[in-house]
Amino acid sequence: MRPAFGGPAVPVGVDVQVESLDSISEVDMDFTMTLYLRHYWKDERLSFTSTTNKSMTFDGRLVKKIWVPDVFFVHSKRSFIHDTTTDNIMLRVFPDGHVLYSLRVTVTAACNMDFSRFPLDSQTCSLELESYAYTDEDLMLYWKSGDESLSTDERISLSQFMIQKFHTTSRLAFYSSTGWYNRLFINFTLRRHIFFFLLQTYFPATLMVMLSWVSFWIDRRAVPARVSLGITTVLTMSTIITGVNASMPRVSYIKAVDIYLWVSFVFVFLSVLEYAAVNYLTTVEERRGRKYRESLPCTCGMSHTGTMMGDGTYSEADTNSLAGYTEGPMVHEEEPEKQEHMVVHLSVSSESTTTKKKGLRSFRIIKNTHTIDKYSRSFFPGAYIIFNLIYWSVYC
């Protein structure tokens, strides 16, 4: 039975020394901690006479023969007392009946994490201690020295987090069937290191978006080049998104990294749609040019394939070949394998030949650079820069 059974509650002081913070799991939403848990109370039944006032120290075998506080970890998933090379339990009894009970424990406990700002987030986790059987009327659990009851090893470090602070709190916990209990809290705040995610997530996503802009400078007739570039960037962005979500719990809200990756994915996808629009409009233009040429009442003494270029303009050689001809009546030429061709003799003065050459050359340049590509070269980078400025100003 507890000391002073039937009397006032037994005060039990607690202090903790955190040896290591082993791991933080986002997928399981828990953390693992190794600590030294020490209890202090007075049991006059264990007092003894000593001329030197020295305490007596025992190992874990005596613990089963006397009363000790039944402290447990609230919301713990797994915990164990270390037993190498023997049970890591120490019991020290002083002549006046004061008792120190210490044990080395590793505990895995739940931590409710909020990933709405991931990976630019901070997480606060708590390890909670409470008596399992004794209410506040039988056992008063308290921090022995206030905030100084919690000490940590200076060498504690985590690969993904920076430990900002440890602190202690306490309050009463109520259970409808059993009553009120004293509960102690070990609180610690962790801030995530962003550099790893910059290298593994943000930089690759940004580079893929920038790579998709290269297609705006590729000739619109180079269909295999532009299509393969667009599909490659889309598939790469899908792989990055899948890899990030594979290491995260399936939460029902949007994370900060989701916003960045999906906006980047939209930019990459829009670059593919942009070329689809350019290709469609190019096809429409060529179809209109073909119909216009077919509607002409005559040809120019040579086949369309030899006279017209792919963009519907005459080549310089063809233009030069027409110079010096004078206008005359239409003549009919008989060919054994073809029907009659109507030939129009054009008179092109030598003075206007140079002007027509420059006009054809300029017309060809204008048609090779489609208007949508020209505006996309400035619109896409500008919009993405604005998005980045807003994103990093909000989450940093």
Side-chain angles (χ1 to χ4, degrees), residues 104-367:
R104 182 167 174 254
V105 184
T106 293
V107 56
T108 300
C111 177
N112 294 324
M113 301 181 184
D114 181 14
F115 296 109
S116 59
R117 298 178 63 89
F118 176 88
L120 306 167
D121 58 331
S122 296
Q123 303 294 341
T124 299
C125 299
S126 299
L127 184 63
E128 305 173 16
L129 295 82
E130 183 181 307
S131 172
Y132 189 80
Y134 297 100
T135 65
D136 61 336
E137 297 178 354
D138 293 320
L139 189 147
M140 184 179 68
L141 207 61
Y142 67 98
W143 290 111
K144 185 175 183 294
S145 304
D147 286 338
E148 297 180 359
S149 301
L150 178 63
S151 59
T152 59
D153 193 328
E154 296 179 354
R155 296 173 296 178
I156 294 178
S157 63
L158 293 169
S159 59
Q160 288 193 33
F161 293 92
M162 178 181 64
I163 303 175
Q164 291 187 320
K165 64 177 179 177
F166 278 89
H167 66 281
T168 60
T169 55
S170 61
R171 66 178 178 84
L172 289 174
F174 177 74
Y175 298 90
S176 59
S177 57
T178 54
W180 294 89
Y181 294 81
N182 294 111
R183 182 176 295 182
L184 306 181
F185 295 83
I186 302 173
N187 305 306
F188 55 95
T189 303
L190 306 170
R191 182 167 183 81
R192 196 182 305 274
H193 293 302
I194 185 60
F195 189 71
F196 171 81
F197 295 94
L198 287 176
L199 291 179
Q200 299 296 323
T201 304
Y202 286 96
F203 284 167
T206 303
L207 291 177
M208 286 301 104
V209 175
M210 296 174 66
L211 183 61
S212 68
W213 301 338
V214 175
S215 64
F216 303 149
W217 278 266
I218 299 177
D219 193 333
R220 58 196 173 99
R221 295 181 184 84
V223 177
R226 295 189 65 164
V227 170
S228 61
L229 181 61
I231 296 300
T232 300
T233 52
V234 168
L235 293 179
T236 304
M237 284 301 305
S238 300
T239 303
I240 294 174
I241 294 173
T242 303
V244 171
N245 291 329
S247 60
M248 295 296 298
R250 298 177 180 177
V251 294
S252 59
Y253 49 84
I254 298 176
K255 304 181 289 294
V257 69
D258 292 336
I259 296 176
Y260 193 90
L261 292 180
W262 280 105
V263 170
S264 300
F265 183 86
V266 168
F267 271 90
V268 171
F269 188 72
L270 287 178
S271 68
V272 178
L273 295 183
E274 185 270 350
Y275 178 62
V278 169
N279 186 267
Y280 174 75
L281 294 177
T282 301
T283 305
V284 171
E285 289 178 1
E286 292 179 352
R287 188 181 299 126
R288 288 177 180 174
R290 192 180 303 112
K291 290 182 178 179
Y292 175 75
R293 291 192 300 271
E294 292 175 353
S295 65
L296 292 176
C298 60
T299 61
C300 296
M302 57 190 73
S303 62
H304 288 295
T305 57
T307 304
M308 294 291 182
M309 296 184 66
D311 56 357
T313 62
Y314 288 97
S315 65
E316 296 180 11
D318 295 333
T319 307
N320 292 335
S321 65
L322 297 175
Y325 284 89
T326 58
E327 184 178 4
M330 293 185 298
V331 297
H332 298 278
E333 297 179 359
E334 298 292 338
E335 294 182 4
E337 297 179 357
K338 298 182 180 180
Q339 296 180 353
E340 296 180 351
H341 289 268
M342 292 183 295
V343 180
V344 178
H345 299 279
L346 301 177
S347 176
V348 182
S349 65
S350 59
E351 295 178 358
S352 62
T353 302
T354 305
T355 304
K356 288 183 178 295
K357 287 181 181 179
K358 294 181 181 179
L360 291 171
R361 197 177 295 117
S362 301
F363 182 65
R364 209 176 297 129
I365 294 173
I366 293 174
K367 292 207 69 179

